[in-house]
Structures are given as C-alpha cells and as structure tokens.
Amino acid sequence: IAFTPHPILITKTIKTILPAASTSLQQPFTQVISDVDDTLKSSGGVKIGDIALGGIDTQYARGDFYPGVFQFMLELSRCRGSDSSSSGVVTAPPKVAVLTARAEEFKLALELKPDSKLAKAFRAAGERSGFDGWGLGPVLYGSVAEWVIQDRKGWRKFNNFERLLEQDPTGTIMQYVYVG
C-alpha cells in the first residue's frame, strides 16, 4: 500500500512535533525515533509458541520501564547546534516518534494513547526539565502480516520511517536518531 501524504496532515504533524518552531532556525531539530518493546520497556521475553511477543529481554519484568530511558530520549531530542532560536527563546524539543511492530489491526487493545503509562512517563521527564507537553509524538504501527512473516518487520519499520521523513521534505528542519 502506497502512502500519499496529505498536506494538512503533514502540517498538523509538524505543529504537533514542534510546538514552538521558528522558521528562522539555523540548526535542525533532532527527532528521536524509538521502538517500544525491549527499548523503552521490557517485553519479559513472553512467547506464543516460537514467536516472541515484542522481544526477548527477561532481565526485567514484562512492562517495566528501563531506568533513565525517558530522560535519555529527552536529552537526545534536545541535541541541536543551539537550544534557542535566533530570538533567544528556548524552543521545545521534538516529541519522540515511535515505530512499533504492534499490529494496527489490534490498535483497540495495543494503541499508545496520551493517557497510557508510557505517554505519562515521557511527559513527566519533559516536565521535570521544564518542557511541558514534551513526550510521545507520532506512533506508526505494524500489522498482523509482520507477526505472521517475521522477516517483514524491518521493511514495515523502514516504510514507516519514510513516512516520518515526509514531514520534512526539504531535510532542513529535522535530523533523526533511531533507538531500538
């Protein structure tokens, strides 16, 4: 399925990610892109048959957040040539984008919502550093097809990354860091 960007959706996404964006920025913002399971929180190594439900980490209990992970994501998000626009006003860092293999068909049960424990933990890290409203940004899901044919997960994440790139077609507003 080809993704055709919608100008209003792209503009809305940029405004959501960069709430205090200035058009006169000299250095691009850094948008952190993250996976969820075994990156932000432990999968617990749970499997159904031979298929891992999110990952293989058994060091932490399923659902436990990794220590310091939200502050780490915030600090990466803040990386620019300068934290300020030319007017000297501190701008909020971009929200973290999530590329997850979670099936969109099961979004009703697996959706990462603004009131989820994960989103609240992101927000709390931002608030502690003076960035109210910082946290979970766009979430791009996988599909059941990737659960059936595991080798397709990488392709889906790559295609979802291409969708993120469309928010900045010129390549001058964003630079990206993938953690996963």
Side-chain angles (χ1 to χ4, degrees), residues 20-27 29 80 82-92:
S22 165
T23 55
S24 62
L25 297 173
Q26 295 177 359
Q27 296 291 325
F29 285 91
R80 289 181 56 202
S82 168
D83 270 348
S84 305
S85 67
S86 58
S87 66
V89 176
V90 175
T91 56

Side-chain angles (χ1 to χ4, degrees), residues 23 25 32 69 94 108 134 146:
T23 55
L25 297 173
V32 176
V69 71
L108 185 64
W134 178 83
E146 285 88 50

Side-chain angles (χ1 to χ4, degrees), residues 6-19 138 167:
H6 190 280
I8 294 171
L9 178 62
I10 298 296
T11 303
K12 184 178 177 187
T13 301
I14 291 173
K15 287 179 182 176
T16 300
I17 295 168
L18 304 173
Q167 71 189 354

Side-chain angles (χ1 to χ4, degrees), residues 35-134:
D35 194 357
V36 177
D37 296 311
D38 287 0
T39 303
L40 300 173
K41 65 180 187 170
S42 175
S43 67
V46 176
K47 292 183 177 182
I48 294 180
D50 289 338
I51 298 176
L53 292 180
I56 60 170
D57 181 28
T58 57
Q59 180 179 0
Y60 291 91
R62 182 172 175 80
D64 282 358
F65 295 132
Y66 293 113
V69 71
F70 299 104
Q71 188 66 40
F72 175 69
M73 297 288 181
L74 174 61
E75 296 305 324
L76 287 175
S77 296
R78 294 181 67 188
C79 291
R80 289 181 56 202
S82 168
D83 270 348
S84 305
S85 67
S86 58
S87 66
V89 176
V90 175
T91 56
K95 294 179 179 181
V96 174
V98 172
L99 302 183
T100 179
R102 293 169 180 230
E104 191 158 14
E105 295 88 342
F106 301 136
K107 210 170 166 181
L108 185 64
L110 300 174
E111 184 176 13
L112 297 175
K113 298 177 183 176
D115 64 344
S116 70
K117 186 177 169 186
L118 184 91
K120 289 177 182 177
F122 269 119
R123 264 194 314 278
E127 289 166 0
R128 283 191 300 273
S129 296
F131 296 107
D132 292 349
W134 178 83

